[in-house]
Amino acid sequence: MTPTREAFQITGLAGKRTLSGEIPVRGAKNDALKAIPASFLFSDTLTIENIPHIADISAMANLVKGLGGIVEENDRTMRITTTHADGKELPVEIAKRMRASVVSVGPVLARFGHVSFPHPGGCVIGARPIDLFLKSFEKMGATYEVDDKFYHIKATNGKLRGADIFLDIASVGVTETVMMAAVLAEGTTTIRNAAMEPEIQNLASFFVECGAQITGIGTPTLTITGGELLKTNGQAYQVIPDRIEAGSFAILAALAGTEITITGCNLEHLRALLSAFDTAGVRYEKHTNALTVYGADNYTAVNIKTHEYPGFATDLQAPMAILLTQAEGESLVFETMFEGRLHFTDDLVKMGADITMFDPHRVMIRSKKQLVGRELESPDLRAGLAFVIAGIIATKTSRIRNIHHIDRGYEKIEERFRALGVQIERVAD
Ligand code: EPU
């Protein structure tokens, strides 16, 4: 994304717990981001509801427009018609900036028989190769070439065919793109060791409502029998609540709140976090679609190991690490998925945290240390929000720079945090 040259200026609470009130959760970025390119699987207009207003969504909508789709937006509703679309080359600037762009390759390839795209960019949290995408499409009868700028993938005779695919890693993006490709492929595709994230389940369930044949939704084995383009018959796709927002807000509440209610969330998607809360001693109350968290003075260390859903989400690892800087004892954080996702802890050390990195995947966070505010560069979306939380609990003032990363995934976060009592301003940088 083009840097907006803005920063967040936060006056820290110096360890006091003063925040209270309600904070609403928006639609899940990582659900809406896949629903938008899924429009290529439909013969009629796809309506998507509960869209969050964030930079990544605008980028994905522009990507679909670049491929010839017609996108109409009205507040949180997006209507996408791809009836006359015929684009086969992903808009380069968007694809290079956003990893999720690669998910659109499956539906575009399945629909048009051909797709070209540059190596996808996105948050720098690890190598993030696309080998499993290419391997899967090859199994489905596609061939690919790579030149200095693009991958060019072609389906033999213009049509993908069903295949039995074992994913070496239960990748979210590969599961989604292969599932979408399989919806329009000839014959049956089985995806084994499929990812089971709620966003994938939501996508698959909607496809079934619109005529797709998919079994095994929510399990590691998805079986998809391909057919014609799907038809919504006027049904709208409902983006699920963002579980990463919900979890991050719950962590902020535990650290700096007296009583904060997170509204519009799905607690089933938060089981791993709530289990860690149980160990840490965070008190909370569950309601239908809401969670109240009560801050406390003492928390206990917890070992966290990130894992595919339903395990502890890698996207919650950074905010959880902030909570662990305030827990008594030693917490081991094992980031299994991305080798670049613990580097942000260097800055926590500069803020006064006691953290030892054993290797790029593992850190030890030791007993409660008061963090001291400072200037921080947001390295990626999730660590960026973790820095905001760190700034809120720290002494003094913190300035979080590079907030275009945060704007990619969290809608007007400063307004929602201010409503809880956080002193945070968006300032020119
Ligand atoms: N991987 C490969 N080869 C591939 C594809 C993936 O080695 O061809 C590896 C990745 O490098 C990584 C692991 O597989 O080490 C898992 O990555 P996965 O493909 O599951 O991640 P993703 O689909 O790129 C999505 C979310 C991420 C989230 C991960 C894991 C979206 C748009 N992104 O990424 O969210 O961290 O799943 O849950 O859905 C974020 O929102 O900030 C974010 C990074």
Side-chain angles (χ1 to χ4, degrees):
M1 305 294 128
T2 311
T4 51
R5 294 181 165 273
E6 289 178 325
F8 285 137
Q9 184 92 17
I10 300 167
T11 306
L13 296 174
K16 295 190 196 74
R17 283 183 292 101
T18 58
L19 307 182
S20 63
E22 283 189 10
I23 181 162
V25 169
R26 302 297 181 213
K29 167 179 86 79
N30 290 345
D31 187 14
L33 272 180
K34 320 304 166 55
I36 295 170
S39 56
F40 285 102
L41 303 179
F42 291 86
S43 61
D44 57 351
T45 298
L46 172 65
T47 302
I48 307 171
E49 293 179 347
N50 197 27
I51 292 257
H53 294 155
I54 50 174
D56 266 14
I57 294 298
S58 310
M60 190 58 101
N62 286 334
L63 181 139
V64 169
K65 282 186 207 165
L67 290 162
I70 298 167
V71 181
E72 301 159 75
E73 288 173 74
N74 183 0
D75 193 20
R76 297 192 183 281
T77 301
M78 193 178 276
R79 287 166 53 80
I80 313 176
T81 312
T82 59
T83 320
H84 303 294
D86 61 358
K88 299 174 189 73
E89 189 175 305
L90 304 195
V92 178
E93 284 315 310
I94 301 171
K96 280 203 320 210
R97 286 196 308 248
M98 186 170 59
R99 169 77 181 183
S101 63
V102 69
V103 172
S104 65
V105 166
V108 172
L109 175 64
R111 172 101 174 246
F112 304 119
H114 180 186
V115 62
S116 299
F117 59 99
H119 191 83
C123 282
V124 185
I125 53 180
R128 308 189 89 181
I130 64 161
D131 53 325
L132 300 178
F133 290 84
L134 300 172
K135 190 173 166 187
S136 303
F137 292 135
E138 276 189 312
K139 283 228 160 199
M140 297 179 84
T143 53
Y144 71 90
E145 286 168 21
V146 193
D147 60 27
D148 54 348
K149 279 203 192 128
F150 286 106
Y151 295 88
H152 304 276
I153 313 186
K154 265 191 187 144
T156 311
N157 302 322
K159 193 84 184 151
L160 292 175
R161 54 169 196 265
D164 196 321
I165 297 170
F166 179 87
L167 300 186
D168 301 323
I169 299 172
S171 156
V172 171
V174 178
T175 302
E176 290 165 334
T177 203
V178 171
M179 175 174 78
M180 290 201 259
V183 163
L184 297 185
E186 269 167 13
T188 298
T189 299
T190 305
I191 310 175
R192 299 178 200 275
N193 196 27
M196 300 183 284
E197 270 61 8
E199 295 77 15
I200 303 174
Q201 298 184 34
N202 195 38
L203 204 58
S205 303
F206 184 73
F207 293 162
V208 170
E209 284 172 32
C210 297
Q213 293 183 58
I214 305 178
T215 58
I217 297 171
T219 77
T221 307
L222 283 171
T223 304
I224 305 122
T225 301
E228 300 297 308
L229 286 171
L230 305 178
K231 223 171 163 17
T232 68
N233 290 317
Q235 281 193 90
Y237 186 90
Q238 294 294 331
V239 174
I240 60 173
D242 196 308
R243 62 197 164 96
I244 307 304
E245 269 205 1
S248 306
F249 299 166
I251 289 167
L252 172 65
L255 281 167
T258 49
E259 178 179 333
I260 291 180
T261 299
I262 296 124
T263 61
C265 53
N266 184 334
L267 301 187
E268 263 184 49
H269 300 163
L270 293 173
R271 286 214 172 97
L273 177 69
L274 295 182
S275 176
F277 273 11
D278 291 341
T279 311
V282 177
R283 287 186 307 123
Y284 57 86
E285 195 181 336
K286 295 176 174 181
H287 318 279
T288 314
N289 302 326
L291 179 75
T292 301
V293 178
Y294 304 94
D297 288 335
N298 295 303
Y299 295 123
T300 312
V302 191
N303 292 337
I304 298 294
K305 180 179 175 189
T306 64
H307 197 279
E308 294 87 5
Y309 189 82
F312 195 94
T314 170
D315 292 343
L316 280 177
Q317 176 262 108
M320 189 67 190
I322 310 297
L323 181 73
L324 299 178
T325 65
Q326 303 307 307
E328 294 293 344
E330 291 184 338
S331 304
L332 182 70
V333 177
F334 185 5
E335 167 55 58
T336 64
M337 248 167 261
F338 296 107
E339 66 279 12
R341 255 198 166 168
L342 284 171
H343 294 322
F344 78 100
T345 58
D346 290 352
D347 284 297
L348 298 185
V349 171
K350 290 180 193 149
M351 292 179 86
D354 183 351
I355 302 177
T356 307
M357 184 173 275
F358 298 127
D359 61 54
H361 286 280
R362 290 177 311 143
V363 294
M364 174 75 82
I365 303 179
R366 289 190 195 80
S367 284
K368 204 163 170 169
K369 292 279 182 307
Q370 175 61 59
L371 302 184
V372 179
R374 58 181 284 123
E375 186 171 297
L376 299 152
E377 300 275 338
S378 174
D380 66 68
L381 170 59
R382 306 303 178 188
L385 191 78
F387 283 164
V388 170
I389 297 174
I392 293 171
I393 64 167
T395 57
K396 301 188 180 170
T397 301
S398 291
R399 192 180 179 92
I400 320 291
R401 307 184 65 199
N402 271 351
I403 62 170
H404 61 96
H405 283 302
I406 300 175
D407 289 334
R408 284 187 43 211
Y410 300 96
E411 177 183 318
K412 294 187 183 146
I413 198 65
E414 72 279 25
E415 289 181 14
R416 285 185 286 163
F417 279 3
R418 266 201 300 267
L420 298 174
V422 175
Q423 289 187 52
I424 177 170
E425 296 299 330
R426 182 182 288 264
V427 296
D429 191 24

